[in-house]
Amino acid sequence: MGTAPQRAPQGPAAILIGPPGAGKTTIGRRLAKVLRVEFLDIDEEIERREGRTIPQIFAGDGEPAFRAIEERVVADVVAAHNGVVSLGGGAVLAEGTRELLRSHQVVYLELTEEEGIRRTVGTARPLLKGDDPAAAYRALMARRTPIYRELATIRVSTVGRAPGSVVRQVQRRLKDTAPARVRRSPWPLLPAVLRTSTKNRSE
């Protein structure tokens, strides 16, 4: 078993990864507030830069084009953002992103297949559309779960737990909290018409 990666001195206080429905955005916002740093959601940043929603990008350009955009945005954000960052569930599929994350504090929010399917039913996630969303979700989990586990420096289950409980556990397990970090907000707010909701995710 290899040595767990260590977070670089500079960069995000925490990068959240996990499957669709794990609560990365909800937990990320709360964690950032507790750590007194800014929060940035990669899907929201993609929409801000592209001027389109995630489903529009998938529909117009296809998944490979979206993943290329996503990889570039992740690299930009990780290099410049010192707060909490949440990644789309499929961002870890890019080899460049995986290599980048190995030098940072990565929090894997764990979720069972059953709970994930329950939480994502009826949402507009492009990769879960079709005749059998449950089967699509299981296929995503089969492919991605080993990657999440390999990249994680911290693993926390979100099943059957309130967001506050998850945040407290993540905070306890983080090696570095953020009191000494310079608080800043270099990322413009996303226009309200494009602001990502739980029904408008890349995952």
Side-chain angles (χ1 to χ4, degrees):
M1 180 179 296
T3 302
Q6 301 296 312
R7 183 170 61 82
Q10 302 299 321
I15 300 173
L16 307 189
I17 63 173
K24 297 182 292 295
T25 299
T26 299
I27 299 302
R29 291 189 193 283
R30 293 189 177 213
L31 180 64
K33 184 176 181 180
V34 169
L35 298 181
R36 295 183 289 171
V37 296
E38 298 296 329
F39 170 74
L40 192 142
D41 179 277
I42 290 296
D43 281 351
E44 291 184 357
E45 179 63 12
I46 290 171
E47 291 186 337
R48 185 189 71 80
R49 294 189 186 194
E50 293 294 309
R52 295 179 289 168
T53 65
I54 300 298
Q56 287 171 342
I57 298 172
F58 266 83
D61 301 341
E63 183 180 359
F66 171 79
R67 294 301 176 195
I69 295 169
E70 181 179 52
E71 184 173 0
R72 291 195 300 270
V73 173
V74 170
D76 289 349
V77 169
V78 171
H81 190 72
N82 69 343
V84 174
V85 177
S86 70
L87 270 57
V92 298
L93 298 175
E95 183 177 353
T97 295
R98 293 197 299 273
E99 187 62 31
L100 183 65
L101 295 186
R102 289 189 177 98
S103 61
H104 293 278
Q105 186 77 283
V106 177
V107 180
Y108 169 25
L109 299 180
E110 297 182 293
L111 190 65
T112 63
E113 286 184 356
E114 293 75 14
E115 181 65 12
I117 291 168
R118 186 188 69 79
R119 293 184 187 183
T120 57
V121 167
T123 63
R125 290 172 167 86
L127 296 183
L128 298 180
K129 298 173 71 174
D131 295 333
D132 194 345
Y137 191 94
R138 292 188 181 95
L140 291 182
M141 290 285 278
R143 182 181 182 190
R144 298 175 183 179
T145 297
I147 301 175
Y148 295 144
R149 290 174 176 169
E150 188 266 327
L151 293 173
T153 57
I154 294 173
R155 291 168 57 176
V156 176
S157 174
T158 67
V159 177
R161 303 177 63 186
S165 172
V166 176
V167 169
R168 287 190 293 273
Q169 184 177 359
V170 173
Q171 184 187 16
R172 286 195 300 268
R173 297 190 60 188
L174 282 170
K175 296 180 180 179
D176 299 309
T177 53
R181 292 175 178 268
V182 177
R183 186 168 183 171
R184 58 179 178 172
S185 182
W187 308 97
L189 290 176
L190 186 70
V193 294
L194 289 177
R195 197 172 299 279
T196 301
S197 72
T198 56
K199 292 187 177 182
N200 191 32
R201 311 298 299 177
S202 66
E203 307 165 306

